[in-house]
Amino acid sequence: MIFKRLIRPEIKLCLRVLSKGLTTKPQWDIITGVCVERLPVVTPPLNDIQKKYKELLWTIEVENSLKSDHEIRHENDKIQAELLKSDTHDVDIDAVSKITAQDMEDAATEELSQFKFGSIETEADKKGDKTNPDRCLQRHLVLVAPVKLGTDVRTILPQGKWQEGETLRQTAERVLEEYCGKDLKVQFLSNAPCGFYKYKYPQSSQTDNSIGAKVFFYYANYQGGAVDGKEKNFNWLTRNELKELLPPSVSPEAIAPDQKVSLHFEFCRSIQNS
């Protein structure tokens, strides 16, 4: 009797572990999301720290660099001009350049003053067309799409369920093609996910085979092409515009701007709490 009492807890533990080991269906849905980002086409304006650092690098560059050919020619022109004014030295007039370095510098300055930069405002900016990636050329743009989560449709990163036999990278490529078509050209930066988030479904949506979702995020750069079908309401949004999609209960200050998929994490957290 004493022996049975001692081994009974161990027997129950072994049976529990064995029953879990025999379970073939996972209890979590494996989801793969894709963060497609269009990088800035035009260099963004420098902030105050970047401007100071640029000035410091320029000062160091000037102090440590040798004189350029233009500077040396400018000094030689000054010496030749002084010799021409002086009668004590014989100067070969033919050897003196008729076009001095100063003349070339003045011509270049005049040409620069007539140059006008092109406008960075595109037709998509004028029309407020967020479905076109040719907008906000100085900003990062992220592709978002309407995704059905339970009974709701949320505008988030394209995502879909993993299928048996696929790698997560293959799932990401398939999901992006299903959502956006074959014309969209992107470059995945890694075979491994760049982010992960896990959340449980509401109690009413849980089943014996699925109690929640494990979402793996992949990061890709936009290379060209267009999304197939504007009727699906695909949008290219800046990070500030992404914040506006968050529900009021989610604090924007909690979003780290240097994390590519942090906004999506906040969406998942808000959906879990709703």
Side-chain angles (χ1 to χ4, degrees):
M1 291 295 293
I2 298 177
F3 180 73
K4 289 183 179 181
R5 290 179 181 177
L6 291 175
I7 66 172
R8 186 174 298 171
E10 283 75 7
I11 294 175
K12 290 182 178 180
L13 178 62
C14 292
L15 290 175
R16 192 181 302 114
V17 174
L18 181 62
S19 62
K20 289 185 178 180
L22 295 176
T23 302
T24 57
K25 296 182 179 180
Q27 294 185 349
W28 295 85
D29 289 332
I30 305 299
I31 308 293
T32 301
V34 185
C35 177
V36 180
E37 184 175 41
R38 193 224 64 191
L39 299 177
V41 180
V42 180
T43 304
L46 301 179
N47 57 36
D48 293 337
I49 296 179
Q50 291 172 333
K51 290 179 180 178
K52 292 180 180 179
Y53 187 66
K54 178 184 176 181
E55 293 175 359
L56 174 63
L57 291 180
W58 175 254
T59 303
I60 296 175
E61 176 78 14
V62 172
E63 291 176 353
N64 296 335
S65 63
L66 300 176
K67 292 183 179 180
S68 64
D69 293 340
H70 176 75
E71 292 173 320
I72 295 175
R73 179 178 176 181
H74 187 60
E75 292 179 354
N76 290 334
D77 289 340
K78 287 184 178 180
I79 295 174
Q80 293 294 334
E82 293 294 333
L83 293 177
L84 286 174
K85 294 179 182 179
S86 175
D87 296 333
T88 58
H89 296 80
D90 294 333
V91 180
D92 187 0
I93 303 299
D94 296 332
V96 178
S97 176
K98 296 182 180 180
I99 302 177
T100 64
Q102 186 63 45
D103 295 334
M104 298 179 61
E105 186 173 340
D106 293 340
T109 303
E110 182 179 358
E111 183 179 356
L112 178 61
S113 64
Q114 297 176 357
F115 177 81
K116 294 182 179 180
F117 288 95
S119 175
I120 62 174
E121 185 180 17
T122 63
E123 290 296 327
D125 291 322
K126 297 177 182 178
K127 297 178 181 178
D129 184 10
K130 296 182 180 181
T131 63
N132 193 336
D134 188 24
R135 61 183 292 265
C136 299
L137 300 182
Q138 290 184 321
R139 298 289 179 261
H140 295 258
L141 296 182
V142 177
L143 178 65
V144 294
V147 178
K148 187 175 182 181
L149 298 176
T151 58
D152 298 332
V153 177
R154 301 295 182 99
T155 302
I156 54 177
L157 303 180
Q159 65 177 33
K161 286 187 177 182
W162 168 81
Q163 294 180 0
E164 189 173 354
E166 290 181 332
T167 64
L168 291 177
R169 165 72 180 267
Q170 291 172 340
T171 303
E173 294 173 346
R174 173 180 57 81
V175 167
L176 194 62
E177 183 176 331
E178 290 176 353
Y179 271 93
C180 305
K182 297 182 179 180
D183 293 336
L184 186 67
K185 305 301 180 183
V186 302
Q187 180 183 10
F188 285 87
L189 300 189
S190 174
N191 289 325
C194 68
F196 168 77
Y197 184 74
K198 179 176 70 173
Y199 65 96
K200 286 188 177 181
Y201 297 142
Q203 196 68 30
S204 58
S205 302
Q206 294 184 8
T207 63
D208 295 337
N209 299 327
S210 179
I211 62 173
K214 294 182 179 180
V215 188
F216 296 87
F217 297 96
Y218 277 81
Y219 176 69
N221 284 337
Y222 171 76
Q223 298 293 310
V227 177
D228 183 14
K230 291 186 178 180
E231 68 279 356
K232 295 182 181 180
N233 296 323
F234 291 94
N235 288 320
W236 294 90
L237 304 181
T238 64
R239 293 175 183 176
N240 289 332
E241 291 170 343
L242 287 173
K243 293 179 182 180
E244 296 176 359
L245 293 177
L246 294 174
S249 58
V250 180
S251 173
E253 287 74 13
I255 303 170
D258 57 335
Q259 294 180 350
K260 306 297 182 184
V261 294
S262 59
L263 287 164
H264 196 90
F265 293 167
E266 298 297 336
F267 271 115
C268 295
R269 188 176 294 110
S270 64
I271 293 169
Q272 178 185 4
N273 297 332
S274 60

